[in-house]
């Protein structure tokens, strides 16, 4: 295949061709006391960080987790660090002795080039706004960090790399934006035609040549099935070095730990109290990141997982037994997950649910409650909430005020203007990043929901380039 060259912004690439020729294991196993990563299902040998990030999913079907929890000394002055600097110090114990460790500082600087905002509200409450990145949702943190990690470790001698991702809305936009801004790696996105919001569609289809968006005549499940088939297909594996950028990749979780570290230290310094977090949750990636940050010793008192009417996690907390449920559609569509894959990471860290319940709980919030919360958001908090964030706000309003709470705001309300604007009776000012892309030319290719159709179209394109 073609060899892969990157001419976008320079980032330190720790591996040269000689090291690749020597072989991955030769190079990686040289360091002492490597941090290794194991599968939640425990049926494979441990992997290095680079391997875990390149593979995405462990080969036994489990998710990668750290083999042990490194000790971290949180210094008194860490609340003064910039977000990138704190992210570097929080994550380096997991990256040490991996080739990626050499690039980590630069990756943090380049990935987090937008503000992380902690806003203090009345009643012992704050909101952590994670939507100031290029696609206005927290997924920008994970997608940008992962893109830069992959750029650092991709084998320049190998087949043409290709990111392949199915999306129900937010993930695809963040991945497209991250890979096209930070790397030269081509991205192929599959989304269900006619089933995502207009602004979400623009965020998938306006990136030019590097990002091919396919509008699949089918559902999200069809899109996901095609992606799985491609990963299992000999033709695809022969022609491409396929990369999975979905949310179970540990490279997307790590940077999310950093904002819990940041917000908890800021809050504690200012109020001299340890806050709890209320997290709008779907696939539980964000929630696992919070559990990991707490495990590393950051000052986090309690954690509440706010779910919509997809109740498998709240049911688990109340009944003690895990039963995945069919997905139901709600106003908070990025949280519409009936069988969250990250439950495996939760259970791996807390095999005994009673230990988790000592500081964490899970609650379900209905569409009516989401709407009510958005409607009175201005009056109660002086804020406009997106439907996802509203689930967390609703639970905050139910709570006593004896513990200070940080509400995690996962997306900007302007992304969901068709839901929010009628409820608040006014236009939502557009954030700059959305305004910029609304007028860009969009292009996507409509295909039938089969891998054959995708392959046929892509073969044409690759030849044409
Ligand atoms: C993806 C997403 C969520 C759910 O996050 P998980 O990590 O899957 O639990 C919540 N809100 C928004 C806006 C999202 O895009």
């Amino acid at each position: 295949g073609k060899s892969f060259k990157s001419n976008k912004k320079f980032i330190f690439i720790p591996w040269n061709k000689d090291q690749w020729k020597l072989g991955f294991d030769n190079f990686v196993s040289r360091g002492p006391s490597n941090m290794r990563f194991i599968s939640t299902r425990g049926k494979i040998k441990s992997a290095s960080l680079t391997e875990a990030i390149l593979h995405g999913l462990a080969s036994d079907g489990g998710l990668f987790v750290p083999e042990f929890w490194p000790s971290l000394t949180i210094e008194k002055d860490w609340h003064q660090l910039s977000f990138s600097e704190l992210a570097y110090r929080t994550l380096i114990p997991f990256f040490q002795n991996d080739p990626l460790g050499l690039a980590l500082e630069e990756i943090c600087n380049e990935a987090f080039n937008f503000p992380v905002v902690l806003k203090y509200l009345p009643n012992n409450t704050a909101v952590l706004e994670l939507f100031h990145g290029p696609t206005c949702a927290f997924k920008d943190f994970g997608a940008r960090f992962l893109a830069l990690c992959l750029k650092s470790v991709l084998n320049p001698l190998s087949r043409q790399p290709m990111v392949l991702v199915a999306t129900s809305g937010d993930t695809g936009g963040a991945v497209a934006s991250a890979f096209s801004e930070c790397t030269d790696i081509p991205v192929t996105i599959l989304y269900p035609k006619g089933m995502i919001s207009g602004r979400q569609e623009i965020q998938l289809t306006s990136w030019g040549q590097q990002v091919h968006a396919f509008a699949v005549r089918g559902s999200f499940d069809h899109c996901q099935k095609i992606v799985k088939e491609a990963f299992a297909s000999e033709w695809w594996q022969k022609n491409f070095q396929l990369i999975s950028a979905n949310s179970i990749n540990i490279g997307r979780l790590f940077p999310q730990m950093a904002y819990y570290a940041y917000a908890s230290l800021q809050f504690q310094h200012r109020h001299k109290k340890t806050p709890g977090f209320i997290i709008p949750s779907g696939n539980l990636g964000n929630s696992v990141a919070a559990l990991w940050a707490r495990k590393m010793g950051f000052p986090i008192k309690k954690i509440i997982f706010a779910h919509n009417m997809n109740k498998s996690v709240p049911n688990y907390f109340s009944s003690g037994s895990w039963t995945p449920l069919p997905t139901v559609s709600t106003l908070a569509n990025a949280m519409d997950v009936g069988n969250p894959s990250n439950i495996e990471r939760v259970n791996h860290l807390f095999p005994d649910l009673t230990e988790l319940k000592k500081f964490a709980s899970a609650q379900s919030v209905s569409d009516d409650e989401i709407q009510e919360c958005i409607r009175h958001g201005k009056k109660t908090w002086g804020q406009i909430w997106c439907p996802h964030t509203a689930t967390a706000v609703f639970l905050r309003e139910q709570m006593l005020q004896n513990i200070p709470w940080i509400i995690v705001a996962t997306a900007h309300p302007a992304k969901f203007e068709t839901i929010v604007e009628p409820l608040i009776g006014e236009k939502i000012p557009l954030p700059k990043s959305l305004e910029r892309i609304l007028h860009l030319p969009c292009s996507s290719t409509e295909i039938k929901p089969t891998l054959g159709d995708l392959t046929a179209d892509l073969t044409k394109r690759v030849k044409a380039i």
Side-chain angles (χ1 to χ4, degrees), residues 135 165 167 169-177 180 187-194 196-216 434 437-446 461:
T135 67
V165 63
T167 184
D170 273 354
T171 294
V175 168
S177 158
S180 64
V187 179
T188 298
I189 299 179
L190 306 183
Y191 66 94
K193 176 176 151 48
I196 63 175
S197 85
R199 286 183 184 171
Q200 281 177 325
E201 189 160 14
I202 294 171
Q203 287 183 331
L204 296 178
T205 57
S206 62
W207 304 99
Q209 289 263 316
Q210 193 180 336
V211 179
H212 298 156
F214 290 90
V216 176
L434 259 182
I437 67 167
L438 283 185
H439 306 289
L440 292 177
C442 294
S443 92
S444 70
T445 310
E446 203 176 308
R461 279 163 192 272

Side-chain angles (χ1 to χ4, degrees), residues 154-297:
L154 274 179
N155 182 346
L157 303 177
S158 183
R159 295 144 295 158
Q160 169 68 43
M162 158 87 77
V163 175
L164 185 58
V165 63
T167 184
S168 57
D170 273 354
T171 294
V175 168
S177 158
F179 280 82
S180 64
E181 195 177 304
C182 306
T183 77
D184 280 344
I185 305 170
V187 179
T188 298
I189 299 179
L190 306 183
Y191 66 94
K193 176 176 151 48
M195 286 167 77
I196 63 175
S197 85
R199 286 183 184 171
Q200 281 177 325
E201 189 160 14
I202 294 171
Q203 287 183 331
L204 296 178
T205 57
S206 62
W207 304 99
Q209 289 263 316
Q210 193 180 336
V211 179
H212 298 156
F214 290 90
V216 176
R217 283 182 225 128
S219 66
F220 170 65
D221 291 333
H222 288 115
C223 300
Q224 211 163 24
K225 185 162 167 279
I226 297 174
V227 168
K228 283 193 183 146
E229 285 170 4
F231 272 87
S233 140
E234 241 172 67
W235 184 88
W236 278 75
Q237 290 294 348
K238 194 172 90 219
N239 286 283
F240 298 106
Q241 182 175 5
L242 283 183
I243 296 164
S244 158
N246 69 22
S247 64
I248 53 169
N249 195 310
I250 197 165
R252 277 182 54 173
L253 275 191
F254 276 135
Q256 295 177 232
M257 270 168 81
Y259 49 68
Y260 293 106
Y262 183 77
S264 63
L265 292 179
Q266 297 280 322
F267 192 98
Q268 197 196 37
H269 177 74
R270 176 170 165 140
H271 286 302
K272 311 291 174 236
K273 284 183 200 155
T274 309
F277 283 90
I278 312 178
I279 306 170
S281 300
N283 207 26
L284 292 175
N286 225 353
S287 307
V288 166
L291 294 175
W292 286 5
R294 189 176 186 277
K295 179 82 187 164
M296 291 295 285

Side-chain angles (χ1 to χ4, degrees), residues 53 95 100 107 144-154 251:
I53 285 179
F95 281 62
L100 270 173
I107 290 173
R144 291 177 66 83
F145 187 85
L146 177 65
L148 290 163
C149 286
L150 285 167
K151 181 177 172 178
S152 278
V153 297
L154 274 179

Side-chain angles (χ1 to χ4, degrees), residues 136-139 169-171 200 247 252-253 256 259 279-288 306-307 332-337 340 342 386-389 391 408-412 415-416:
C136 307
F138 79 86
K139 293 196 171 71
D170 273 354
T171 294
Q200 281 177 325
S247 64
R252 277 182 54 173
L253 275 191
Q256 295 177 232
Y259 49 68
I279 306 170
S281 300
N283 207 26
L284 292 175
N286 225 353
S287 307
V288 166
H307 287 264
N333 67 2
M335 294 156 54
D336 290 348
V337 185
N342 276 302
C386 93
H388 310 83
T389 308
T391 60
V408 177
T410 49
H412 194 287
K415 253 186 122 157
F416 304 94

Side-chain angles (χ1 to χ4, degrees), residues 303-454:
I303 299 178
I304 299 175
F305 307 148
H307 287 264
N308 58 25
M309 290 313 274
N310 289 278
K311 291 185 178 181
S312 46
V313 179
N315 287 352
Y316 176 51
F317 271 75
S318 56
S319 76
S321 66
W322 175 248
T323 316
L325 298 170
T327 302
V328 298
S329 306
T330 75
L331 292 175
N333 67 2
M335 294 156 54
D336 290 348
V337 185
N339 186 10
S341 31
N342 276 302
I343 192 73
E344 289 197 26
R345 286 189 171 120
V346 174
N347 289 336
H348 193 264
L349 191 57
F350 292 98
D352 178 2
L353 181 63
T354 52
E355 286 303 307
L356 177 60
K357 280 167 81 170
K358 285 181 182 161
F359 67 91
S361 66
Q363 311 278 337
S364 160
V365 177
S366 72
D367 274 0
D368 283 347
E369 289 163 340
I370 289 174
Q371 286 176 309
E372 186 45 42
C373 204
I374 295 172
R375 223 177 266 127
H376 69 224
K378 269 239 156 124
K379 196 160 135 248
T380 313
W381 302 101
Q383 302 291 313
I384 303 174
W385 307 114
C386 93
H388 310 83
T389 308
T391 60
V393 178
F394 177 82
L395 295 179
R396 167 64 193 84
E397 290 170 358
Q398 308 299 301
M399 224 83 69
L400 298 174
Q401 287 169 23
N402 55 349
I403 297 180
W405 289 103
I406 299 178
I407 293 162
V408 177
T410 49
H412 194 287
K415 253 186 122 157
F416 304 94
E417 85 288 4
T418 52
I419 296 169
V420 178
E421 286 180 353
L423 291 171
I424 59 171
E426 59 179 284
K427 286 251 171 249
I428 308 166
L430 272 183
K432 279 219 176 63
S433 53
L434 259 182
E435 197 183 333
R436 197 164 38 224
I437 67 167
L438 283 185
H439 306 289
L440 292 177
C442 294
S443 92
S444 70
T445 310
E446 203 176 308
I447 56 167
K448 288 195 293 248
T450 68
L451 180 63
D453 261 43
L454 177 68

